[in-house]
Amino acid sequence: QMLERADAEISRAVAIIHPLRDFARQGRPTRVYQALGPIIDDVHRILDPALRANDIRYDGPCPAALEDLELPVDAVFIQQILRNLVANSIDAFEQQGELTKCVAVNVNDDDGDYIDIEISDNGPGVEDSVEVFEPFATTKAEGVGLGLAVSRTLARSHGGDLVLASRGRAGVNGDADARTVFKLRLPRH
């Protein structure tokens, strides 16, 4: 079982490297209509051990909302963006006290031309002085500061965008429920 799991992870690494190589050569992703639900589910499955180890509740999107939702994306790149955002949320809780920790992924398909995927957490928030998308800017002791910059580039290569919709900062304005929210916007067509 351990060897099968290791083999699966090697296959996953190869599946990530090939599209990145092609992207570096062509400057654009290979977009194919993909079901969004399995992409989000896979990210949760991969990061579930870290979520559980840190006692973080995960609230995923309603499966019915994703049932027939397909987008023209490079699935590996979208997974990388989502993995980076959820992993950043997990890391943010290292400085958090004993309150209930929660990471949520929501999908909004109200806009006819775009789908918005919001990744939010109730962690300590992002300081106003931090330029989150600036390459090599990081608040992590061991971070490189490229994750969000690369993620935004990948989102824009799909004709979408990645923005920081809310810096969170619970308690700054007396709002105990303030959440840090990143919004990944992807075109439907």
Side-chain angles (χ1 to χ4, degrees):
Q1 189 177 23
M2 295 284 282
L3 290 174
E4 286 175 2
R5 199 173 312 162
D7 187 50
E9 290 305 313
I10 291 169
S11 295
R12 179 186 308 282
V14 169
I16 291 169
I17 292 169
H18 284 221
L20 286 172
R21 180 196 61 203
D22 294 343
F23 179 70
R25 288 181 183 161
Q26 301 169 9
R28 63 188 194 292
T30 304
R31 294 170 41 176
V32 177
Y33 276 89
Q34 309 267 342
L36 186 58
I39 294 172
I40 293 173
D41 289 345
D42 200 36
V43 170
H44 178 227
R45 184 184 56 75
I46 291 166
L47 292 174
D48 189 55
L51 289 161
R52 288 177 185 270
N54 290 285
D55 197 28
I56 300 170
R57 188 179 81 226
Y58 174 85
D59 293 332
C62 173
L66 302 179
E67 200 166 290
D68 295 319
L69 192 54
E70 291 190 350
L71 299 176
V73 296
D74 185 311
V76 171
F77 288 172
I78 300 308
Q79 277 186 345
Q80 286 304 114
I81 295 169
L82 295 174
R83 283 178 69 180
N84 184 51
L85 293 170
V86 173
N88 283 352
S89 289
I90 293 169
D91 291 345
F93 287 115
E94 288 181 0
Q95 301 140 14
Q96 194 75 359
E98 291 299 317
L99 75 114
T100 301
K101 304 171 192 173
C102 180
V103 173
V105 177
N106 294 302
V107 176
N108 180 346
D109 64 348
D110 292 342
D111 186 319
D113 296 325
Y114 292 91
I115 299 293
D116 291 327
I117 305 170
E118 292 184 353
I119 296 81
S120 65
D121 66 64
N122 65 335
V126 179
E127 296 287 338
D128 292 339
S129 62
V130 176
E131 296 293 332
V132 296
F133 296 108
E134 185 70 30
F136 304 109
T138 184
T139 59
K140 299 178 188 177
E142 296 181 24
V144 177
L146 289 175
L148 289 172
V150 169
S151 293
R152 177 178 259 182
T153 299
L154 293 175
R156 288 179 173 175
S157 74
H158 279 78
D161 205 356
L162 177 62
V163 298
L164 175 59
S166 171
R167 290 182 176 268
R169 307 284 315 219
V172 171
N173 295 318
D175 183 3
D177 295 324
R179 299 180 71 81
T180 304
V181 180
F182 282 88
K183 185 182 295 186
L184 171 60
R185 173 164 272 207
L186 296 170
R188 286 182 183 264
H189 308 287

